[in-house]
Amino acid sequence: MSPDLQSKLDHLPQQPGVYLFKNASGEILYVGKASVLADRVRSYFQRGTDHTPKTAVLVGQVADVETIVTRSELEALILESNLIKRHRPRFNVVLRDDKQYPYLRLPVKEDFPRLSIVRRVQKDGALYYGPYTPAGALRETLKVIRKVFPLATCEIDIDGKAERACIEFEIKRCMAPCIGNQTREEYHRIVKQVRQFLEGRDTELLEDLRAHMHAAAEREEFEEAARLRDRIFKIERTLEKQRVTQTSSTDQDVLGLARRGAAVDLQMLFVRGGLLIGRKDFFWTESAEASDEELVRSAIEQFYNKDGLPPKELLVPTTLADAPLIERWLSEKKGEPVRVLAPERGKKHQLVQLAEENAAAALADHLRNEETDRLATEELKRLLRLDKVPRRIEGFDISNTMGDQSVASLVVWEDGQAKKSDYRKFRIRTVAGANDFASMQEAVMRRYGEAEDLPLPDLVLIDGGLGQLAAAMEGLKRVGRAELPVIGLAKARGEKADRVFLPGRKNPIVLNPSSPAAHLLQRIRDEAHRFAITYHRKLRGKALIASRLDQIIGIGEIRRNALLKAFGDLDAIAQATDEELQQTGIDSKTAAEIRKALSRA
């Protein structure tokens, strides 16, 4: 141990806080928290301490320690989570996920509230439901709500004075409060039903609907009674599909773990009012030495460190020593008490078992996919005669419409999965017209010629044949990266099998359509194509909007950009009030011109 490190260990603070272990190069190896920094940090370096192999390796690499004092252990917990998220130290358990998850927002204080999808929960008086993950769970929920509950979906100001209702009224998906066909009180009755559905209060919801159905029948309003009957039937069928177990209506997130060798999978089930609305999967390939408690605690701290909303109960598969501290933190985030429980029996324990079963199934899938990817990359090494197995593959594609709005995409496949944080998109600058070869050359030169903190790939995949491959090779040569392995992937007209084109070889390799290597290259190629098409459509849509706005008297480049930044698309601009338009610098005369022009669209 160096004298500098020993000196720091001798003068550690006696307060709560966070400590950072660093190696000789200054790299952060590990971030931890402590109620008393001096006691916790020194415990790592005491002679005779029986460390796990992982901790022993960590301690052997520590050359420096930095401490940050906090006012409380709770502040230390939050700071620790933030630092792990920022630095991703290799000796911490790190979630490979930093998405913002979607929620449904219902602004119940408005006269005519409408559901919207958001990724940030704010303290604005609205109700938030979620998180919904995967996104398909959210789409399914919205689909059910829009079929069953006639809630408005438009974005116009509803004041009852609109001239006519939209098609949603004609198909009975909305009762047209915009033309005064539905009062605020009648509308909020529907809002109440939506809340009951989203909160799992199905008994209360169905009783209310049956009461309204019988009342409508007694008034001989048979069409309304039949509509309510159909709504009841649809709700009952939906609830049958989603109900996981007859627990209380308390919102719960349920964690389950599964292990196989060094691999670990953790599942989070999101249960709201007894309904399973989504789940999230976390997988670690090398976590044999991490205890269940460390994995669960790390997952909780990092997952809820985002802008998400904790549930009232968190059900975990193992007792957590930090449970009271985590409860305090989550309760402050939620604004009401949150409990962390490790149930050993009963229906809550059954929910944890359900999460563990899901984790075991997901773990088997991950390991199977890992084996398939291993076989695929080994096959690629042999087929392409590479020096090493390609762990990182980067794929390129070009997209345009008759040469207009030409773009290129870069996608990254690393260690068997898409690495979306490394994706890049390029708006082609130097090429006029539809010239995919020159566009590909520009994209390759910009990726590998510009200074960027991205690792170089083991293999570059070009979507195309000999022409695209030659263009990419010329681009690599011009930026001094001619040594990078590069291939083209394309189908011959009328053939099903993909062919791999190699530099300096006229005849391509015909891939076996069922081989792991073919499947891997196709997945990367298809992802590059999807990413390029998505970006191209976005630019083309913006160009169309801009050209429409340019035709309006009084709209120049500055005002056009201000409108697009504030509202995003033509529909939102057309529906904006005069006050909202004026906030972007539009005067009343120009606002009238905008309405006149867009009403003709």
mmCIF file of all heavy atoms in Angstrom, residues 400-404 406 431-439:
data_model
loop_
_atom_site.group_PDB
_atom_site.id
_atom_site.type_symbol
_atom_site.label_atom_id
_atom_site.label_comp_id
_atom_site.label_asym_id
_atom_site.label_seq_id
_atom_site.Cartn_x
_atom_site.Cartn_y
_atom_site.Cartn_z
ATOM 1 N N ASN A 400 -32.944 7.024 -49.036
ATOM 2 C CA ASN A 400 -33.371 8.291 -49.639
ATOM 3 C C ASN A 400 -34.571 8.025 -50.525
ATOM 4 O O ASN A 400 -34.930 6.869 -50.785
ATOM 5 C CB ASN A 400 -32.233 8.950 -50.426
ATOM 6 C CG ASN A 400 -31.730 8.078 -51.556
ATOM 7 O OD1 ASN A 400 -32.444 7.809 -52.515
ATOM 8 N ND2 ASN A 400 -30.481 7.608 -51.440
ATOM 9 N N THR A 401 -35.183 9.078 -51.013
ATOM 10 C CA THR A 401 -36.280 8.972 -51.969
ATOM 11 C C THR A 401 -35.872 9.718 -53.227
ATOM 12 O O THR A 401 -35.860 10.960 -53.243
ATOM 13 C CB THR A 401 -37.583 9.577 -51.406
ATOM 14 O OG1 THR A 401 -37.907 8.927 -50.181
ATOM 15 C CG2 THR A 401 -38.729 9.406 -52.385
ATOM 16 N N MET A 402 -35.498 8.972 -54.247
ATOM 17 C CA MET A 402 -35.028 9.572 -55.503
ATOM 18 C C MET A 402 -33.921 10.586 -55.247
ATOM 19 O O MET A 402 -33.858 11.651 -55.855
ATOM 20 C CB MET A 402 -36.204 10.242 -56.232
ATOM 21 C CG MET A 402 -37.354 9.307 -56.553
ATOM 22 S SD MET A 402 -36.897 7.983 -57.720
ATOM 23 C CE MET A 402 -36.713 8.932 -59.231
ATOM 24 N N GLY A 403 -33.041 10.281 -54.304
ATOM 25 C CA GLY A 403 -31.933 11.163 -53.999
ATOM 26 C C GLY A 403 -32.262 12.269 -53.025
ATOM 27 O O GLY A 403 -31.369 13.006 -52.594
ATOM 28 N N ASP A 404 -33.530 12.392 -52.626
ATOM 29 C CA ASP A 404 -33.931 13.483 -51.727
ATOM 30 C C ASP A 404 -33.786 13.038 -50.271
ATOM 31 O O ASP A 404 -34.119 11.900 -49.923
ATOM 32 C CB ASP A 404 -35.390 13.865 -52.021
ATOM 33 C CG ASP A 404 -35.851 15.040 -51.173
ATOM 34 O OD1 ASP A 404 -35.102 16.032 -51.100
ATOM 35 O OD2 ASP A 404 -36.931 14.949 -50.574
ATOM 36 N N SER A 406 -31.205 12.308 -48.403
ATOM 37 C CA SER A 406 -30.381 11.097 -48.281
ATOM 38 C C SER A 406 -29.726 11.038 -46.900
ATOM 39 O O SER A 406 -29.165 12.029 -46.414
ATOM 40 C CB SER A 406 -29.300 11.091 -49.360
ATOM 41 O OG SER A 406 -28.621 9.860 -49.375
ATOM 42 N N VAL A 431 -23.183 14.757 -51.273
ATOM 43 C CA VAL A 431 -23.655 14.007 -52.434
ATOM 44 C C VAL A 431 -24.973 14.584 -52.920
ATOM 45 O O VAL A 431 -25.906 14.770 -52.130
ATOM 46 C CB VAL A 431 -23.836 12.511 -52.094
ATOM 47 C CG1 VAL A 431 -24.283 11.733 -53.330
ATOM 48 C CG2 VAL A 431 -22.550 11.928 -51.528
ATOM 49 N N ALA A 432 -25.052 14.873 -54.215
ATOM 50 C CA ALA A 432 -26.290 15.359 -54.818
ATOM 51 C C ALA A 432 -26.945 14.219 -55.582
ATOM 52 O O ALA A 432 -26.288 13.491 -56.327
ATOM 53 C CB ALA A 432 -26.003 16.537 -55.755
ATOM 54 N N GLY A 433 -28.248 14.079 -55.403
ATOM 55 C CA GLY A 433 -28.976 13.046 -56.131
ATOM 56 C C GLY A 433 -28.836 11.672 -55.503
ATOM 57 O O GLY A 433 -28.253 11.499 -54.433
ATOM 58 N N ALA A 434 -29.393 10.670 -56.212
ATOM 59 C CA ALA A 434 -29.417 9.297 -55.699
ATOM 60 C C ALA A 434 -28.116 8.591 -56.055
ATOM 61 O O ALA A 434 -28.006 7.956 -57.107
ATOM 62 C CB ALA A 434 -30.614 8.548 -56.278
ATOM 63 N N ASN A 435 -27.136 8.701 -55.193
ATOM 64 C CA ASN A 435 -25.838 8.047 -55.398
ATOM 65 C C ASN A 435 -25.477 7.315 -54.110
ATOM 66 O O ASN A 435 -24.808 7.850 -53.230
ATOM 67 C CB ASN A 435 -24.773 9.087 -55.756
ATOM 68 C CG ASN A 435 -23.466 8.442 -56.173
ATOM 69 O OD1 ASN A 435 -23.161 7.307 -55.790
ATOM 70 N ND2 ASN A 435 -22.675 9.149 -56.963
ATOM 71 N N ASP A 436 -25.951 6.086 -54.016
ATOM 72 C CA ASP A 436 -25.742 5.315 -52.792
ATOM 73 C C ASP A 436 -24.266 5.018 -52.554
ATOM 74 O O ASP A 436 -23.818 4.920 -51.404
ATOM 75 C CB ASP A 436 -26.520 3.995 -52.855
ATOM 76 C CG ASP A 436 -28.015 4.204 -52.645
ATOM 77 O OD1 ASP A 436 -28.428 5.374 -52.474
ATOM 78 O OD2 ASP A 436 -28.759 3.209 -52.658
ATOM 79 N N PHE A 437 -23.501 4.856 -53.628
ATOM 80 C CA PHE A 437 -22.079 4.542 -53.461
ATOM 81 C C PHE A 437 -21.344 5.706 -52.791
ATOM 82 O O PHE A 437 -20.618 5.523 -51.810
ATOM 83 C CB PHE A 437 -21.435 4.237 -54.815
ATOM 84 C CG PHE A 437 -22.047 3.063 -55.533
ATOM 85 C CD1 PHE A 437 -21.936 2.946 -56.907
ATOM 86 C CD2 PHE A 437 -22.730 2.067 -54.845
ATOM 87 C CE1 PHE A 437 -22.489 1.865 -57.576
ATOM 88 C CE2 PHE A 437 -23.291 0.988 -55.503
ATOM 89 C CZ PHE A 437 -23.167 0.888 -56.872
ATOM 90 N N ALA A 438 -21.522 6.914 -53.340
ATOM 91 C CA ALA A 438 -20.861 8.087 -52.766
ATOM 92 C C ALA A 438 -21.385 8.380 -51.360
ATOM 93 O O ALA A 438 -20.630 8.804 -50.481
ATOM 94 C CB ALA A 438 -21.067 9.300 -53.677
ATOM 95 N N SER A 439 -22.678 8.133 -51.134
ATOM 96 C CA SER A 439 -23.261 8.360 -49.802
ATOM 97 C C SER A 439 -22.656 7.401 -48.782
ATOM 98 O O SER A 439 -22.351 7.791 -47.644
ATOM 99 C CB SER A 439 -24.781 8.183 -49.848
ATOM 100 O OG SER A 439 -25.374 9.138 -50.707
#
